[in-house]
C-alpha cells in the first residue's frame, strides 16, 4: 500500500508544448486510441532494459528481485486500467522531467510534421518519444506511482490532462512504475480481459519481457467470465531475434519493426541472420518504407539497438552502421562484446568494426535485391532515401562500386523528374562512339531540362543525366567514372564529344573561331570584369549564349548553393560561349553602336538560363528596352 508522507503535494504547470500535445491526444487521435497501450508497454519495457543496464555496475539495484516483467490489469468497478513494471522507476526530478516537459530537441518539428492524417500523426508519437501522453486519449485522469531503484521514497504524479499536474512523495515498497488510467466515459470496452489481450498480442507480442494478466475462467454461478488469482503471460516473452526464422511470421516481423522504429507503416524489407566466425552476433535489420522526420539530422542516429547476450546496452549504437545508412532500423545482439561496453570501447573494438562491415554489406545486399527483383519498391526506397545513400560515395570507399550501381538519376531520356535511370541503364543506352557519361547539375529539374548546354546532345540523340539534389555536386567529387566511362559535365570546360563529333564539325569550329576573332577580342575587353574568357561554340543550336566553368573551377550552381548555405564559395569567373549562327550574335557582330548593350545582354541571358541571379536587374532591363526600341 502507498501512503502520503509529510511532504505536501505540489502543483506544477505543464510546459507549453505539453499542453499543445495533450490537446492533440485528446481531440485529434481518438480513432487510433489503441496506441496508448502499445506506447505504455513499450515504455515499461524500456524501463526494465535500463535497470538491466545500470545493474551491470550496481547489482544491488535489483533489490533481490531480478525477475523483470510487465503487468496489465483493470478494475471494472473503479473503471481503471493499470500498466505496471518493476524496472528502473523514476525519482521526483525524473518524473518532472519526463512527464511534465518535452526535453527532446525537435519539438517544433513534431508539430510542423503533423498532417491531419490520424494514422500518420499517431506514428509520430513514438518517433518523438512522447508516447506517455497518449494515455489521455482514453483517460480523463492519469495517476503515476513510481520509485527509482536504489531510492527509499516514491512519488505520486497525477494530472487530468489540462494545464497542470500534482506531484508528491509517497512510501512505495516496490521499485518501478505504475501508470493508472482513469477511463473516460465511453471507454468501457477496455474493461475487458479479452480486449486488452487482443491489443497486447497485436502490438506487443514481440516484447522480450513477460506481459502478465490475471487468468479468466467461466463462473457457473454468475454465468460469466471472471478473473482468477492465477497469472498468465499473454505474449511470447522471448526476444524475437533469438527465435528461428522459421518460427516467426511476417506479421510478427512487421510488428517488431513498428516497435523498434516507432513507425506505423510496414517496412519495405528486412533481413534476419546469425553470423558466426571471428565475431558472433545476430542481426535483424529493417529498411523503412518512409523517411523519418529527422532523416537530415546526421547526429540523430537511433536506428540500431545494441544488445550483448540479450542484455540491452544502448539504443543509439551509431558505431554499428555508417552515417549514410542512418535510416536502417533494427537490433544487433553480440555474443563477444563485454556487458560493460562503453561508447569508447565501441569505437576501438575490432569486433564492432567487423559487425559494422557485416551489417553494411547485409543492407547493401537487401537494396541490391530490391533493385533487381522489386523495382517498384526500390523506386519507393529511392524517393525516400536516395539522397542519403548518395552520401556513401564519399564515406564508404570499400563499397563505392556497389553503391554506384544502386544510384538512380533523372535524365533527358524521360519527360519527368523521376529518378529511375541507373548507371548500368545509361551505359547500355550509349550511342555508338560515345565513351563518356554526360551530366548537368542545376537547382531543379525544370532548369536542368531547359539548360542550353543540352542542345547539341539533343541534336545528336545523346542522353544526359539531370542532377538536381543538393548532395550531387559533393558526390561527383568522389564519382569520377563508372564501368570505365568518365563522368563529364556538359557545362564545364571545352566540349569534348570524342567520336561523336565529325572531322567536318571540328574544321567548322576552327574556321568560325578565325572569322569571329575580332568580335571575341572585343567581347573579352568589354566583359573582362565578368567573364574569364569568351569563345564561339557549336554546342548551342537554339540559344545565343551560355556560361561554362573552366576545368578545375567551381560551377556556377555550386557557387550559388554554397552562398545560400552561408558558406564561403571559391570565386571564379565563368567562360562565355556564343552561338555564331544565332541572329542575336549576328546583330552583335554588325551593330558597333550598341555593342556594349549586346555583350552584357548575352552574358545576362546566359546567367539567367542556368538559374543564376543578375547582379543589376535594373541595368539589364534598361539595356533590353534600348535594344527592343532599336528593333
Amino acid at each position: 500500500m502507498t501512503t502520503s508522507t509529510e511532504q505536501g503535494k505540489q502543483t506544477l504547470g505543464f510546459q507549453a508544448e505539453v499542453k499543445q500535445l495533450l490537446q492533440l491526444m485528446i481531440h485529434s487521435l481518438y480513432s487510433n486510441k489503441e496506441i496508448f497501450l502499445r506506447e505504455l508497454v513499450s515504455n515499461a519495457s524500456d524501463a526494465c532494459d535500463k535497470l538491466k543496464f545500470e545493474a551491470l555496475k550496481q547489482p544491488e539495484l535489483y533489490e533481490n528481485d531480478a525477475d523483470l516483467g510487465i503487468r496489465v490489469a483493470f478494475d471494472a468497478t473503479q473503471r481503471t486500467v493499470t500498466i505496471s513494471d518493476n524496472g528502473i522507476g523514476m525519482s521526483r526530478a525524473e518524473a518532472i522531467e519526463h512527464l511534465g516537459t518535452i526535453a527532446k530537441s525537435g519539438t517544433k518539428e513534431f508539430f510542423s510534421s503533423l498532417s491531419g492524417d490520424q494514422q500518420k500523426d499517431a506514428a509520430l508519437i513514438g518517433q518523438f518519444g512522447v508516447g506517455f501522453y497518449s494515455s489521455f486519449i482514453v483517460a480523463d485522469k492519469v495517476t503515476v506511482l513510481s520509485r527509482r531503484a536504489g531510492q527509499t521514497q516514491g512519488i505520486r504524479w497525477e494530472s487530468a490532462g489540462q494545464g497542470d499536474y500534482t506531484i508528491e512523495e509517497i512510501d512505495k515498497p516496490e521499485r518501478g512504475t505504475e501508470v493508472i488510467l482513469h477511463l473516460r466515459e465511453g471507454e468501457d470496452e477496455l474493461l475487458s480481459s479479452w480486449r486488452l489481450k487482443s491489443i497486447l498480442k497485436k502490438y506487443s507480442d514481440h516484447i522480450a519481457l513477460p506481459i502478465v494478466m490475471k487468468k479468466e475462467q467461466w463462473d457457473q454461478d454468475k454465468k460469466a467470465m471472471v478473473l482468477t488469482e492465477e497469472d498468465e503471460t499473454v505474449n511470447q516473452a522471448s526476444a524475437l531475434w533469438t527465435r528461428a526464422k522459421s518460427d516467426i511470421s511476417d506479421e510478427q516481423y512487421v510488428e517488431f519493426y513498428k516497435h523498434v522504429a516507432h513507425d506505423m507503416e510496414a517496412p519495405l524489407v528486412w533481413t534476419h541472420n546469425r553470423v558466426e566466425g571471428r565475431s558472433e552476433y545476430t542481426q535483424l535489420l529493417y529498411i523503412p518504407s518512409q523517411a523519418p522526420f529527422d532523416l537530415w539530422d546526421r547526429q540523430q542516429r537511433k536506428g540500431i539497438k545494441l544488445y550483448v547476450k540479450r542484455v540491452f546496452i544502448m539504443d543509439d549504437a551509431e558505431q554499428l552502421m555508417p552515417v549514410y545508412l542512418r535510416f536502417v532500423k533494427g537490433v544487433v545482439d553480440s555474443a563477444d562484446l563485454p556487458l560493460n561496453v562503453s561508447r569508447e570501447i565501441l569505437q576501438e573494438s575490432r569486433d564492432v568494426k567487423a559487425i559494422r562491415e557485416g551489417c553494411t554489406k547485409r543492407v547493401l545486399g537487401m537494396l541490391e535485391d530490391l533493385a533487381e527483383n522489386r523495382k517498384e519498391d526500390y523506386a519507393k526506397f529511392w524517393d525516400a532515401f536516395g539522397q542519403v545513400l548518395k552520401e556513401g560515395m564519399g564515406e564508404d570507399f570499400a563499397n563505392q562500386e556497389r553503391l554506384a550501381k544502386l544510384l538512380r538519376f533523372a535524365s533527358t531520356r524521360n519527360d519527368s523528374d523521376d529518378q529511375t535511370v541507373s548507371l548500368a541503364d545509361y551505359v547500355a543506352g550509349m550511342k555508338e562512339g560515345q565513351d563518356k557519361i554526360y551530366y548537368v547539375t542545376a537547382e531543379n529539374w525544370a532548369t536542368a531540362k531547359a539548360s542550353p548546354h543540352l542542345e547539341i546532345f539533343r541534336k545528336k540523340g545523346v542522353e544526359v543525366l539531370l542532377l538536381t539534389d543538393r548532395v550531387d555536386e559533393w558526390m561527383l567529387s568522389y564519382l569520377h567514372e563508372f564501368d570505365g566511362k568518365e563522368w563529364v559535365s556538359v557545362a564545364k570546360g571545352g566540349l569534348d564529344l570524342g567520336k561523336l563529333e565529325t572531322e567536318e564539325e571540328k574544321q567548322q569550329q576552327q574556321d568560325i573561331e578565325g572569322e569571329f576573332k575580332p568580335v571575341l577580342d572585343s567581347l573579352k575587353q568589354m566583359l573582362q570584369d565578368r567573364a574569364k574568357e569568351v569563345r564561339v561554340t557549336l554546342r548551342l543550336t537554339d540559344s545565343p549564349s551560355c556560361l561554362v566553368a573552366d576545368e578545375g573551377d567551381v560551377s556556377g550552381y555550386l557557387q550559388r548553393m554554397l552562398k545560400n548555405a552561408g558558406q564561403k564559395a571559391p570565386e571564379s569567373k565563368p567562360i562565355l560561349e556564343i552561338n555564331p549562327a544565332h541572329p542575336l550574335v549576328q546583330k552583335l557582330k554588325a551593330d558597333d553602336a550598341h555593342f556594349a548593350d549586346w555583350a552584357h545582354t548575352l552574358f545576362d541571358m546566359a546567367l539567367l538560363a542556368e538559374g543564376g541571379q543578375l547582379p543589376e536587374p535594373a541595368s539589364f532591363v534598361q539595356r533590353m528596352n534600348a535594344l527592343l526600341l532599336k528593333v
Side-chain angles (χ1 to χ4, degrees), residues 1-9 145-146 152-156 168-174 178:
M1 175 179 287
T2 58
T3 59
S4 296
T5 64
E6 292 182 1
Q7 181 167 337
K9 184 185 298 184
L145 309 177
S146 189
T152 56
Q153 288 296 131
I155 59 99
R156 179 199 302 272
E168 61 182 317
E169 289 190 353
I170 59 172
D171 292 325
K172 187 176 187 298
E174 309 85 10
E178 297 175 49

Side-chain angles (χ1 to χ4, degrees), residues 489-496 535 539 548-552 575 577:
S489 169
V490 301
K492 209 166 187 182
L495 182 63
D496 180 11
R535 60 195 183 202
R539 81 168 84 212
V548 300
D550 201 0
E551 290 291 348
I575 297 169
E577 293 191 346

Side-chain angles (χ1 to χ4, degrees), residues 97-304:
E97 177 185 355
H98 298 317
L99 306 183
T101 63
I102 306 175
K104 178 173 181 175
S105 62
T107 307
K108 287 184 178 178
E109 287 84 348
F110 174 80
F111 291 108
S112 66
S113 299
L114 299 177
S115 64
D117 183 318
Q118 292 186 342
Q119 194 74 11
K120 292 181 179 177
D121 290 349
L124 290 173
I125 292 171
Q127 285 189 31
F128 278 85
V130 292
F132 167 76
Y133 301 107
S134 63
S135 306
F136 291 97
I137 297 175
V138 297
D140 54 20
K141 185 172 73 171
V142 177
T143 304
V144 179
L145 309 177
S146 189
R147 178 172 70 77
R148 201 182 203 285
Q151 296 189 359
T152 56
Q153 288 296 131
I155 59 99
R156 179 199 302 272
W157 181 101
E158 195 164 80
S159 176
Q162 302 301 318
D164 55 27
Y165 61 91
T166 62
I167 190 166
E168 61 182 317
E169 289 190 353
I170 59 172
D171 292 325
K172 187 176 187 298
E174 309 85 10
R175 69 157 192 274
T177 301
E178 297 175 49
V179 180
I180 305 168
L181 309 180
H182 305 266
L183 298 181
R184 298 178 181 279
E185 290 297 327
E187 299 298 342
D188 291 6
E189 67 162 353
L190 295 172
L191 299 172
S192 157
S193 183
W194 174 85
R195 179 63 175 135
L196 292 173
K197 287 177 183 177
S198 67
I199 297 174
L200 291 169
K201 286 183 178 294
K202 179 179 179 180
Y203 291 114
S204 306
D205 194 51
H206 51 75
I207 296 290
L209 297 167
I211 304 173
V212 175
M213 290 186 68
K214 291 298 184 184
K215 205 168 188 178
E216 281 188 309
Q217 70 178 24
W218 180 258
D219 187 308
Q220 187 64 36
D221 295 331
K222 295 181 178 180
K223 304 296 183 184
M225 297 295 292
V226 296
L227 295 177
T228 69
E229 290 304 310
E230 185 181 353
D231 288 337
E232 67 172 327
T233 301
V234 298
N235 66 326
Q236 294 212 24
S238 63
L240 181 131
W241 63 89
T242 64
R243 305 180 207 163
K245 288 192 285 186
S246 58
D247 295 337
I248 308 172
S249 67
D250 286 353
E251 289 77 14
Q252 289 172 317
Y253 275 122
V254 169
E255 284 307 321
F256 183 72
Y257 163 77
K258 291 178 178 179
H259 167 68
V260 296
H262 299 290
D263 190 350
M264 293 287 282
E265 297 295 322
L268 270 181
V269 65
W270 61 84
T271 182
H272 182 193
N273 302 280
R274 179 174 176 80
V275 179
E276 297 179 337
R278 190 180 77 184
S279 295
E280 275 192 35
Y281 60 94
T282 299
Q283 56 184 196
L284 175 51
L285 306 174
Y286 295 87
I287 294 177
S289 58
Q290 60 184 4
F293 73 94
D294 56 359
L295 178 65
W296 297 108
D297 185 350
R298 287 169 59 88
Q299 304 306 314
Q300 288 294 333
R301 296 167 59 189
K302 296 192 175 181
I304 305 300

Side-chain angles (χ1 to χ4, degrees), residues 59-66 175:
E60 65 274 12
L61 292 178
Y62 278 128
E63 301 177 359
N64 299 316
D65 177 19
R175 69 157 192 274

Side-chain angles (χ1 to χ4, degrees), residues 531-550:
K532 185 175 188 177
E533 186 182 344
V534 182
R535 60 195 183 202
V536 295
T537 183
L538 296 181
R539 81 168 84 212
L540 301 173
T541 60
D542 302 315
S543 302
S545 59
C546 69
L547 298 178
V548 300
D550 201 0

